[in-house]
Amino acid sequence: MRSRRFLLSTVLISALVAALTAQSANKGGMGSIQEGPLREWLTYLSSDQLQGRATYSEGLGLAAAYIAERLKEFGVKPGGDNGSYFQVVKVQGVRTTSRASVTVEVNGQTRTFKDGAGITFPRNMGVKQSVIAERVVFAGYGMSLASLKHDDYANLDAKGAAVVWLGNGPKLDGVEVRRLLGSRSRTAFDKGAVATISPVGTGFGGRGGRGGAPSAEAPAANATQPPAPAGERGQGQGAGRGQGQGSGRGAADDGDFTTVQRLDNKVPPAVTAQDEFFEFLFSASEFKYADLKERAASQQALAPVVLKNVKLTFNVDADYEVVRTRYTRNVVGIVEGSDPALKNTYVLYGAHYDHTGYREGAPRAGGDPEDRINNGADDDGSGTVGILSVARAFATGPKPKRSLLFVWHAGEETGLLGSRYNADYPVVPLANIVAVINIDMIGRNRDDDPKQANTVLVVGSDRISTELHNINEDANASMAKPLTLDYELNDPADTESIYTRSDHYSYASKGIPIVFFFTGIHPDYHRPSDTVDKILFDKVAHVSQLAYETGRRVANLDHAPVRDNKGPRAGRTVKGKIATTQR
Ligand SMILES: [Zn+2]
């Protein structure tokens, strides 16, 4: 009796709560972003039924269908292929036949090094082109780490130059620079280099890169993969090989590299070279290569220098044969803006709805053999339902001037596949996307530290558009209870390299201003214990409200956020708004 009455009153209360929730949801807007629906959606999306949502799996398909059903329910328009909510992502295994070479002129003497003989081009080297560098600069260790008081570029102009570096990084007290080595090409290209040359076997890589592609030294022009972070992404260029259920493990040949991107992109050359090449390159220099190599190996100071009377010609030339094709899908929805002129421009909201699937082999030592599913409630179930709540808020509430484009990316965990695809084959013209707001993991406290309850990590907001950074700061300040915005992971010296590690990077590398929200790594990251019961739904709601408000403000601007490209400034020490003149 008692339990029955209890049950009855519980039912009544929940019906009342549901009615109230539905009422405020009907009005849409920020007020509709609430814990209740977030919990309901995530409970399904992170359930064992979806088997960890691995790319190419049945579980991912169920998740895609669920998201699309919700979009239809909210009145969000389909933004995918042929009037559907789905954008097919084509994942190709490609074999390369290279005819590339580098010609070196030193004091009038000329030698040509063919790809594979003294010099190695990435297997995905982009479209045929010739890149001439009249200036060649030696940038020491090739690292620009201002907050660690080490900057090889401090007195070096890399603009228009081919940049050369040696070694595995300088000795810096108490800092593990190893994980930053993979970003050296990106640093050089950001500083205006036209090509990079690094020694074979340096750089933090070797994982994933099959066929000799220096995957860890990927250029910024994004036709190659970004650095694969230690222990997390795992697969890199060999994406999907033998890890997705039902992907025909072992049956197909992936070729030399796996990509979702166009093969006719122009990619600045990022080559690796052997001693023979460097000896000739430095032959007219006052520094002997053997000495520099030795200094680099023992982590002594390396002075940057311009190599005089040296000219390099990179002949990029390769044929690509697609030897394997697989399909996965992004889920895409659009809420149209109210302004007749501005509504063909967009604010893109992104999250990834895939996760790492389940453990096929023996259970983890000491782990529960029956618990092998990585539920991915936080990663990135939280972002998935976060932008779902934002989509509903806009679809059922007031419309800003610009349109809102929502993309649930597939294949993030296997190499940012969905976002790279959409950045190369976009559902709307890239030129019409004024900003990207990406959310990946917003449901926990960093390291489970309760002091982080009101904190969100913000990455990338200042790098391309100072204005976007300041809009996000203002949006936060306008909220009833502002969050603490922490920029620590935006510091270029941060070894986690978060800026390159989620889908926003695919768009940022095309020059689109981005802001990334993240609440940090925790002990359940990429484990079966990343479950819905540990999610802090008030926090998911709070961060989603900020994402809503920032996007709403950008969508109502009469101009696109100014792209002043001043690079990262917010960091460990710099917080709050940034003057547009501030470098
Ligand atoms: Zn993630």
Side-chain angles (χ1 to χ4, degrees):
M1 214 34 210
R2 188 184 158 87
S3 67
R4 197 187 152 88
R5 223 171 61 204
F6 173 74
L7 195 74
L8 196 68
S9 60
T10 308
V11 167
L12 279 173
I13 288 166
S14 22
L16 194 67
V17 168
L20 284 170
T21 304
Q23 199 178 34
S24 53
N26 284 343
K27 282 190 288 170
M30 197 199 283
S32 72
I33 300 174
Q34 294 173 352
E35 293 181 39
L38 290 166
R39 180 178 280 110
E40 179 194 324
W41 303 329
L42 189 58
T43 299
Y44 175 72
L45 288 168
S46 65
S47 65
D48 278 0
Q49 200 185 332
L50 271 58
Q51 300 179 341
R53 307 187 304 277
T55 295
Y56 313 120
S57 74
E58 291 177 17
L60 191 77
L62 289 172
Y66 184 85
I67 295 164
E69 277 165 25
R70 299 289 81 70
L71 295 179
K72 199 171 171 191
E73 208 173 275
F74 307 154
V76 176
K77 282 181 43 183
D81 306 334
N82 309 314
S84 76
Y85 287 108
F86 307 111
Q87 176 192 29
V88 170
V89 174
K90 210 189 274 185
V91 186
Q92 297 184 316
V94 182
R95 175 152 304 123
T96 305
T97 306
S98 172
R99 288 177 297 275
S101 65
V102 181
T103 298
V104 189
E105 282 178 64
V106 180
N107 269 347
Q109 259 194 306
T110 300
R111 273 185 73 181
T112 294
F113 294 83
K114 287 196 172 131
D115 189 5
I119 196 114
T120 304
F121 282 75
R123 291 307 82 189
N124 185 358
M125 63 185 88
V127 73
K128 186 177 162 79
Q129 63 168 330
S130 175
V131 175
I132 297 170
E134 305 269 4
R135 285 180 73 238
V136 180
V137 301
F138 172 59
Y141 292 102
M143 305 187 87
S144 184
L145 308 169
S147 66
L148 299 179
K149 310 218 173 337
H150 177 94
D151 190 358
D152 289 307
Y153 290 89
N155 301 304
L156 196 68
D157 181 11
K159 271 205 188 68
V163 174
V164 182
W165 60 80
L166 295 175
N168 276 321
K171 195 167 244 136
L172 296 172
D173 270 352
V175 185
E176 177 58 89
V177 292
R178 209 170 62 98
R179 295 188 68 179
L180 295 169
L181 297 176
S183 57
R184 291 190 284 186
S185 274
R186 188 171 49 253
T187 302
F189 292 125
D190 283 350
K191 298 201 179 273
V194 296
T196 65
I197 305 165
S198 51
V200 169
T202 65
F204 182 57
R207 66 176 59 248
R210 304 199 309 128
S215 64
E217 298 279 349
N222 76 39
T224 47
Q225 307 286 352
E232 272 106 28
R233 185 139 291 132
Q235 289 281 334
Q237 299 219 344
R241 188 171 174 85
Q243 76 168 21
Q245 298 82 35
S247 66
R249 173 162 40 154
D253 175 4
D254 281 324
D256 293 318
F257 64 94
T258 299
T259 188
V260 291
Q261 295 180 294
R262 300 179 66 102
L263 294 164
D264 57 356
N265 279 328
K266 246 187 197 176
V267 183
V271 303
T272 56
Q274 290 174 332
D275 287 347
E276 184 192 359
F277 177 91
F278 286 114
E279 270 153 20
F280 186 62
L281 187 71
F282 282 90
S283 59
S285 159
E286 62 218 89
F287 303 98
K288 285 283 145 281
Y289 168 63
D291 296 340
L292 292 173
K293 187 184 174 187
E294 206 185 294
R295 290 184 72 84
S298 54
Q299 293 189 300
Q300 297 175 61
L302 286 179
V305 64
V306 177
L307 299 183
K308 291 191 194 95
N309 299 318
V310 179
K311 179 183 167 186
L312 293 173
T313 306
F314 297 81
N315 285 303
V316 180
D317 188 3
D319 287 333
Y320 303 109
E321 184 199 353
V322 175
V323 295
R324 186 181 191 189
T325 299
R326 280 168 296 168
Y327 298 125
T328 183
R329 300 185 298 182
N330 291 334
V331 185
V332 189
I334 291 174
V335 174
E336 256 180 28
S338 60
D339 184 286
L342 290 175
K343 74 176 195 183
N344 74 339
T345 65
Y346 300 83
V347 173
L348 187 157
Y349 281 92
H352 72 89
Y353 76 107
D354 68 301
H355 191 57
T356 58
Y358 58 86
R359 194 178 180 90
E360 293 181 27
R364 188 190 287 271
D368 176 358
E370 292 308 314
D371 190 12
R372 53 175 68 244
I373 295 173
N374 297 323
N375 299 87
D378 190 28
D379 187 8
D380 181 24
S382 61
T384 294
V385 299
I387 70 165
L388 200 51
S389 71
V390 174
R392 186 173 77 156
F394 280 120
T396 58
K399 307 287 180 288
K401 293 177 184 166
R402 289 194 167 73
S403 298
L404 296 316
L405 173 65
F406 296 88
V407 185
W408 286 265
H409 298 104
E412 192 271 354
E413 301 284 5
T414 42
L416 315 185
L417 301 179
S419 56
R420 283 165 188 266
Y421 185 84
N422 189 44
D424 267 25
Y425 303 95
V427 290
V428 303
L430 277 195
N432 295 0
I433 300 175
V434 302
V436 170
I437 298 172
N438 188 43
I439 302 181
D440 190 352
M441 300 172 67
I442 51 162
R444 299 283 295 267
N445 290 329
R446 189 181 188 182
D447 301 325
D448 276 341
D449 176 2
K451 287 201 286 294
Q452 293 273 318
N454 198 48
T455 297
V456 61
L457 295 149
V458 181
V459 181
S461 58
D462 60 338
R463 295 192 182 211
I464 297 170
S465 171
T466 310
E467 187 178 12
L468 176 62
H469 175 91
N470 290 338
I471 289 170
N472 186 55
E473 278 281 339
D474 283 340
N476 185 49
S478 78
M479 309 230 315
K481 190 185 168 209
L483 287 149
T484 301
L485 307 183
D486 182 338
Y487 296 101
E488 184 189 321
L489 299 183
N490 189 50
D491 199 301
D494 190 82
T495 54
E496 291 289 332
S497 189
I498 290 293
Y499 183 62
T500 63
R501 273 177 52 188
S502 185
D503 293 312
H504 53 271
Y505 184 62
S506 305
Y507 300 102
S509 56
K510 299 281 186 185
I512 302 171
I514 68 98
V515 51
F516 175 50
F517 295 115
F518 174 54
T519 53
I521 303 287
H522 48 75
D524 303 303
Y525 176 70
H526 282 198
R527 296 199 170 196
S529 51
D530 178 5
T531 48
V532 70
D533 55 296
K534 300 196 182 89
I535 296 298
L536 309 167
F537 282 100
D538 54 338
K539 190 164 187 175
V540 179
H542 204 168
V543 177
S544 302
Q545 286 165 0
L546 171 60
Y548 168 89
E549 180 59 15
T550 297
R552 191 188 69 79
R553 286 172 181 236
V554 173
N556 276 326
L557 283 183
D558 59 3
H559 62 281
V562 176
R563 303 179 183 189
D564 50 353
N565 289 302
K566 292 217 165 103
R569 286 149 291 160
R572 286 193 175 90
T573 49
V574 181
K575 293 174 169 59
K577 285 172 81 167
I578 296 175
T580 48
T581 48
Q582 204 172 317
R583 182 80 224 183

